[in-house]
Structure formats: structure tokens, C-alpha cells
Amino acid sequence: MYRSNTCGELRITDISKEVTLAGWVQTVRKFGAITFVDLRDRYGITQLLFGEELNKQLEENPLGREFVLQATGVVNERSNKNPNISTGDIEINVQSFSILNRSAVPPFTIQDDTDGGDDLRMKYRFLDLRRNAVKKNLELRYAVNRAARNYLHKKGFMDIETPFLIKSTPEGARDFVVPSRMNPGQFYALPQSPQTFKQLLMVSGYDRYYQVVKCFRDEDLRADRQPEFTQIDCEMAFVEQEDILNMFEGMVKSIFKDVKGIDYTEKVHRMTWEDAMWNFGNDKPDIRFDMSLLNLKKPASVYVSKGDRSSLINGTGFKVFDDAETVLAIAVPGCSEYSRKQTDELTEWVKRPQIGMKGLVFIKCNTDGTYKSSVDKFYSEEKLKAIAEAANAKAGDLVLILAGAEERTRKAISELRLEMAERLGLRKKEEFRLLWVLDFPLFEYDEEGNRWVARHHPFTSPKPEQISTMINNNPVIENAAEYLKHPYANIKANAYDMVLNGNEIGGGSIRIYQRELQEKMFAALGMDKEEQQHKFGFLLGAFEYGAPPHGGIAFGFDRLCAILGGSESIRDFIAFPKNNAGRDVMLDAPATIDDKQFDELQIKLDLK
Ligand code: ASP
């Protein structure tokens, strides 16, 4: 027996017991004739006391950091208690010990505030994983996994594995491919998600499916992405959108309860995609705070149903606004007393290349009822007041206005809104606000190919009342500059995203389940019959054998864990993550392979 207890287990009630512990040496402190050793394992740290006798043995066999040590002794009450650790009331008076293994000096200290930089810790990830901070993240990940599984199991979902060596599943990214030795010159693709398999399972009658599953997407890895990541992937048959929304808001609430002890009793707020774009400038708004947008000049995009307020800014000769495609404003609460220095700093902030604006216009809504702005030359106080009121600004608020090309300005104001909320402490880590964003567009315009691509994926169904618009219109875009006028631009999908604190944590749709409509959809995306047959013959075929109505959703498991753990980075919640270049620096992968392997694959490498 290597140990009787763990290093996190013993308490004052265990005094006088003889115990054996095994773990890693965290610190060694020598005080004259006695030595204290902190012994660590997954469960905690226990202090060991080596008296005079054993000290001599220690001198002959000195302990070093991260040595693997086994020690037997008696539990004693500590004279100098440590209230910060759970075993802080006791120590082990060691009677005998054995060094189970030695350790080289670790390249960084294995403690909460380590001296190791990111790269070093990635290279020695197996050591980094010994640290409390990382361990806590993995524990949280496991708790989320368990909570999701428990909920889904209770609801009758079945975990069914699907293959990794498959044919391409289009989810909008590039595939990772794997050459087949037995079929020379042919390649498998790794799944971007189990999408088509879960739909086939519905055809097979497994009406509630789930899987906590790896997905592979060969994307550029900006913005905290990983080439392989995990989804909680789900599908249900005989459901409408409403059933899915209810089932999965239930799942997330259940995760909140089990993992964080949070009772999220209110119904999850819902918003259409158009409203999200109009009011927040993006499709995953953080609704922990308001600061919604004032569209001073209507963006020329698809959300045509909304009015604009350009009369508030027109006719004063202010060229910046007159020439801009879009003018958007937010009212930031309580910031009217910003100094010149502060507004200058904000202007610099929006000019940074990541934001890309040329400048910032502001209106101070002073508490004495006056209005002051950076464009006083062009706008009377009365006009400023009208703009501020339209932006819902109150006395004491600061209205910030951005003008420029549509997409960039929308993104910039979204970022600015988040930044101001951050500065005002409105993005509290422990406050969780869920949101369903509904009615996404079915298609997206691909400028490069001058064609339509599926906004979610090609298996997503259009709103029933818009099926005829899809079927009866030619997908060809005659005039690229006017693609928004094409009837396809306004077709909405039965698709939904779940958003948590400004992050998309899940997305899905009600699927097409009739062969004919699926063929029409593929055709709308520019696929001829032959290509359809080659890529999706199996699915079209399956739809001929009694496919039930179905729909589903997938949650980004890594991201959900990161948010619940209060972190920006999904990497912290993955045991062995890749770096920004998609490399595993510990394994040094990807790597070249042997000539023999190429020979077996009958592949000759000829890099372009
Ligand atoms: N397969 C989709 C995705 O990975 C999710 C879904 O539609 O269920 O985004």
C-alpha cells in the first residue's frame, strides 16, 4: 500500500492516527535540527515534520522540489496553524520515509503564482497541470461535463459515438484530412462536427442523441480558438424550435445549478437576429447591461425593417457624418465629467488598428442640463440634446458616436460598448445572463465567389413561410453591389444561438428533412446534382426512408467552461491545448513523417 490517506484529507479529528502519505515535494524548510516538508498531491498539501533522527537521513538523501516521497508517521496538532489550507491544523510527525522517485529541477515553480511564462508552461504542460490553478479548471470542466450528462441522461438522451474518419462535413471551415493507406490517393476528413451523423441517427429512430465530442476545424487561430475543440452535441426528433429552446435552456440552467450553485429561474431572454444587430451591432450581445445603440444613420444592410434617425444629424454640413455609411451612438452612464485627457484617450482607443476608426465624437450631458460636444461648431445645443435623448442618455451621461463604413463601424461600436462596460465594472464575472438569438439569416453573401453560402450549415431549414421564396427564385446574383436586394438576403432560418455574457456558447437549427427541399438548398448554394450526389448522396438517400422532422444544437464545451471559470481563455480549460499557431509545443507537433510512412501511403511530398 503506497498511502493510507491523501494530502488533502487529514484534520484535527485524525490526531494520533498513524498514516502514510505519498506525493510531490513542494517545499523543504530546514530549521536547525528539524525539517518541514510540504507534500502535495491532487487533493491538497500536508506538512511533514522530520525530527532530529530523520534529519540525518535527509542529509544523506537530500530532498529536492518535485521529488516523489512516501512518508509514514503520526498526525499531530500543529502549534503554528495555517488557516489557509484545509489540513492547516495538523502535521505528520514522520517516522520513516522513502524517496519513490527523484525529479530534475522543474523549469518553473509549481505554485499558484508561478514564475513560468506561457511558452515554458505549455512545453512542460504535464508540470503545469500539477498547479492548483490549472487543476481547478480541469475539475470545473469535469463538473460541467457531468452536469450536462446527468441532465441529458435524465431527459432520455443516448450518448452515441460517431466516427472521426469521415467525409467532409461542411461547417464553414477547412477540413483536416487523413490519407488512407488502404485506399491510396484517397483521404478521410476529420469531422468539423458530427452533424450529418446525428441527423442520420434521427432517421434511425434514436430520437434523443448527445455526445461530448471532439470536432476538428482547420481555421486561422485568432481569437482564442483551437483546431480541435469539444462540443456537447445534441439532436432530437419530432421537435419544433420551441421544444429545443426549452430543453437546452434547461440544460444550461442545470449546469449553472450543479456547478456554480446558481438558481437561474427566470426564462432566458430572446431576441431576433435583426434586433440584436440593430440594438447592439452584433449577434451575440452582452445583456448584463443596456447601453443599446442609436442608429443615427441607417446601415444599408439587410435589417431593413427598422427606421433610422438621420434627421437628427443631417443638414449641418458636418462632413464626417454626411459622408459616412453608418453613424452609431451609445450613451455611457455617468461619464459626462470625463476630462479632456480621458476623451482623448478614448479617441486613441477607437483609432487603434484593431478597432480601426478615424475618430470619435462625444456629447457630454452635463448634470446642470447643458450639453457640450466635440462638434459644437456644427450642432446647436438643442440638436445635441435631441441626439442625446434619442440615445436614451440621462443627465450625467456621455454619448459616444462613431461614423464610417458600415461593418467596421458596427464592430467598433460593439467593442466600444463592451470596453466602456468593462471600465464601469458592468461586466461582472460572477453574473451570468443568457440570451437566445433567433431568426438568423439563412444565407450569407460570399463576396469572393459572388454566391450564397449557408450562414449556419446547409442542413438548416428556412422559415416555412419563406420556403417558396427560396424555391422560386434563381440564386444567381446578377449585380454583386446590390446583393442585398436579392430575395435570398432576407430569408430567415429556423436557427438559434445561445449567448452567455456576450459569447456564443451554442448554436443549432431545425433541419431540412425532405429530400426535395434539401436538394433545393444545395442547389441554392451552387451545387449541381452531381456534386450533391458525390458529397451528400448518403444523406439525400437516407431522407427517402422515413426521415422524421428533427433539429438540434451544439454547445462549445471549452468556451462554456472558460466563462463559468471566469476566464477569457479556453486554453486554460483544456488539458493539452495547442498554441496560436496550432502547434502542440510539448509534443512538437505537427511534425514530418518518415519516408517509410510516405511509401506506405504511396504519397510523394512535393511542397509548393
Ligand atoms: N453542427 C452545428 C455546429 O457545429 C451545430 C448544430 O447545428 O447542431 O455548429
Side-chain angles (χ1 to χ4, degrees):
M1 181 191 70
Y2 273 112
R3 57 183 176 183
S4 61
N5 296 84
T6 71
C7 297
E9 203 178 345
L10 297 167
R11 301 284 183 275
I12 199 97
T13 44
D14 295 304
I15 279 181
S16 304
K17 278 190 193 152
E18 192 186 279
V19 296
T20 302
L21 303 186
W24 287 263
V25 172
Q26 169 109 0
T27 53
V28 181
R29 300 183 306 278
K30 205 164 157 19
F31 288 100
I34 56 169
T35 299
F36 291 106
V37 168
D38 279 348
L39 194 67
R40 166 184 19 89
D41 65 11
R42 186 185 135 193
Y43 308 92
I45 288 180
T46 300
Q47 176 164 295
L48 309 179
L49 170 73
F50 291 76
E52 229 163 294
E53 254 324 85
L54 290 177
N55 231 350
K56 288 201 195 90
Q57 284 184 43
L58 274 186
E59 269 159 30
E60 282 152 32
N61 290 294
L63 295 175
R65 269 161 51 201
E66 303 307 316
F67 276 37
V68 187
L69 181 73
Q70 181 189 42
T72 299
V74 175
V75 182
N76 270 350
E77 182 166 1
R78 254 162 95 158
S79 52
N80 199 355
K81 297 198 168 66
N82 179 353
N84 298 324
I85 59 173
S86 57
T87 62
D89 287 348
I90 58 102
E91 65 193 2
I92 312 298
N93 200 344
V94 178
Q95 288 156 345
S96 65
F97 71 92
S98 144
I99 294 174
L100 299 178
N101 211 345
R102 288 166 199 284
S103 166
V105 177
F108 51 87
T109 52
I110 299 183
Q111 55 196 35
D112 286 0
D113 45 352
T114 177
D115 54 1
D118 272 0
D119 292 347
L120 197 61
R121 285 189 289 115
M122 283 287 241
K123 183 157 170 27
Y124 294 93
R125 184 67 172 171
F126 54 94
L127 292 180
D128 202 26
L129 288 171
R130 283 187 195 162
R131 293 195 312 123
N132 230 346
V134 191
K135 190 187 70 196
K136 275 206 190 109
N137 293 344
L138 291 191
E139 283 170 352
L140 181 130
R141 184 182 174 101
Y142 179 47
V144 176
N145 190 332
R146 243 170 23 234
R149 286 180 185 281
N150 285 343
Y151 176 85
L152 293 168
H153 177 70
K154 261 191 248 144
K155 296 287 180 186
F157 285 77
M158 230 170 119
D159 177 349
I160 303 175
E161 287 158 274
T162 51
F164 280 168
L165 295 176
I166 65 161
K167 207 154 129 180
S168 180
T169 47
E171 298 272 359
R174 241 169 263 120
D175 288 322
F176 281 103
V177 293
V178 180
S180 163
R181 181 185 56 82
M182 288 193 286
N183 304 275
Q186 296 190 331
F187 295 79
Y188 300 102
L190 299 181
Q192 293 184 32
S193 87
Q195 184 61 36
T196 47
F197 288 101
K198 64 176 175 175
Q199 291 193 240
L200 290 174
L201 286 169
M202 294 306 112
V203 181
S204 310
Y206 297 88
D207 61 345
R208 292 185 172 198
Y209 143 95
Y210 87 100
Q211 206 180 168
V212 180
V213 65
K214 273 284 169 74
C215 301
F216 306 87
R217 296 184 191 178
D218 188 5
E219 294 176 292
D220 294 335
L221 297 178
R222 61 199 147 69
D224 196 29
R225 297 250 179 96
Q226 288 278 309
E228 52 177 310
F229 59 95
T230 307
Q231 284 187 344
I232 307 174
D233 188 48
C234 310
E235 195 77 6
M236 302 171 78
F238 305 113
V239 283
E240 289 168 348
Q241 175 165 303
E242 193 59 33
D243 302 310
I244 303 254
L245 301 188
N246 288 329
M247 178 63 76
F248 291 99
E249 76 179 66
M251 184 185 84
V252 175
K253 285 175 179 176
S254 179
I255 293 174
F256 280 171
K257 178 85 188 129
D258 290 1
V259 177
K260 306 288 289 184
I262 295 171
D263 267 316
Y264 197 109
T265 43
E266 72 195 87
K267 197 142 179 62
V268 171
H269 190 69
R270 298 179 183 191
M271 192 183 288
T272 63
W273 174 84
E274 286 207 355
D275 281 340
M277 297 304 280
W278 186 257
N279 292 321
F280 299 98
N282 70 80
D283 58 9
K284 46 180 165 59
D286 187 341
I287 56 161
R288 281 174 295 180
F289 54 95
D290 184 19
M291 265 197 253
S292 51
L293 308 190
L294 168 64
N295 290 264
L296 280 165
K297 198 167 188 180
K298 191 180 77 179
S301 73
V302 273
Y303 17 108
V304 284
S305 57
K306 318 280 170 183
D308 83 339
R309 308 297 305 274
S310 40
S311 61
L312 290 170
I313 51 170
N314 284 348
T316 68
F318 184 46
K319 264 187 84 59
V320 174
F321 287 176
D322 290 346
D323 294 349
E325 229 171 44
T326 311
V327 182
L328 300 169
I330 50 170
V332 185
C335 290
S336 68
E337 288 182 5
Y338 258 36
S339 65
R340 175 71 193 263
K341 198 169 151 218
Q342 283 172 300
T343 50
D344 282 353
E345 187 269 331
L346 268 187
T347 307
E348 284 314 307
W349 192 90
V350 300
K351 283 184 174 171
R352 295 175 325 150
Q354 305 95 297
I355 306 294
M357 288 283 97
K358 294 216 174 73
L360 174 73
V361 170
F362 62 83
I363 304 172
K364 290 179 172 176
C365 311
N366 298 321
T367 42
D368 62 5
T370 60
Y371 293 84
K372 214 58 213 124
S373 86
S374 51
V375 286
D376 283 352
K377 258 190 262 160
F378 298 94
Y379 293 93
S380 64
E381 199 162 348
E382 207 176 311
K383 288 212 151 163
L384 295 177
K385 180 170 183 239
I387 297 173
E389 277 174 358
N392 280 326
K394 297 185 193 52
D397 290 358
L398 176 69
V399 176
L400 301 176
I401 309 175
L402 295 177
E406 178 182 339
E407 201 174 319
R408 173 170 298 184
T409 310
R410 241 188 322 101
K411 282 195 177 137
I413 200 94
S414 306
E415 291 297 324
L416 183 63
R417 177 178 171 269
L418 294 179
E419 173 69 16
M420 296 315 291
E422 189 73 50
R423 292 183 187 195
L424 292 171
L426 301 174
R427 304 191 75 195
K428 296 191 196 79
K429 282 210 165 81
E430 286 302 311
E431 187 188 342
F432 298 101
R433 279 301 294 281
L434 292 163
L435 168 72
W436 282 117
V437 178
L438 308 172
D439 304 346
F440 278 81
L442 185 66
F443 297 109
E444 220 167 41
Y445 176 61
D446 168 34
E447 220 172 312
E448 229 167 84
N450 187 37
R451 63 191 187 102
W452 299 106
V453 292
R455 159 112 201 178
H456 187 50
H457 51 52
F459 317 110
T460 296
S461 62
K463 291 275 171 209
E465 62 278 14
Q466 289 182 300
I467 290 178
S468 58
T469 312
M470 188 182 110
I471 292 178
N472 299 328
N473 284 286
N474 185 341
V476 172
I477 307 148
E478 304 282 356
N479 181 354
E482 301 221 316
Y483 76 90
L484 284 169
K485 294 201 176 136
H486 192 287
Y488 277 23
N490 212 18
I491 301 181
K492 299 293 188 292
N494 269 325
Y496 31 79
D497 274 1
M498 187 178 255
V499 175
L500 173 57
N501 294 358
N503 300 278
E504 180 203 324
I505 57 163
S509 60
I510 297 297
R511 325 298 185 191
I512 296 170
Y513 65 98
Q514 308 92 332
R515 177 173 183 138
E516 241 190 17
L517 187 57
Q518 187 64 71
E519 282 176 342
K520 289 265 181 336
M521 181 67 186
F522 288 144
L525 300 172
M527 246 185 256
D528 61 25
K529 284 259 179 242
E530 204 183 322
E531 190 181 352
Q532 292 183 20
Q533 199 49 39
H534 172 68
K535 288 191 170 151
F536 299 110
F538 65 98
L539 189 71
L540 292 171
F543 282 176
E544 284 182 32
Y545 293 92
H550 60 286
I553 191 166
F555 288 86
F557 180 52
D558 312 290
R559 172 84 46 215
L560 179 58
C561 294
I563 301 169
L564 292 176
S567 167
E568 299 282 309
S569 161
I570 62 171
R571 230 192 269 172
D572 297 346
F573 292 79
I574 298 173
F576 297 103
K578 310 261 187 292
N579 75 4
N580 282 343
R583 295 199 70 82
D584 184 320
V585 289
M586 185 181 72
L587 301 177
D588 197 17
T592 51
I593 56 172
D594 295 340
D595 286 345
K596 186 166 171 276
Q597 289 172 296
F598 278 119
D599 288 346
E600 281 169 350
L601 293 167
Q602 301 185 45
I603 286 178
K604 197 163 140 237
L605 199 59
D606 182 14
L607 288 179
K608 284 195 183 140

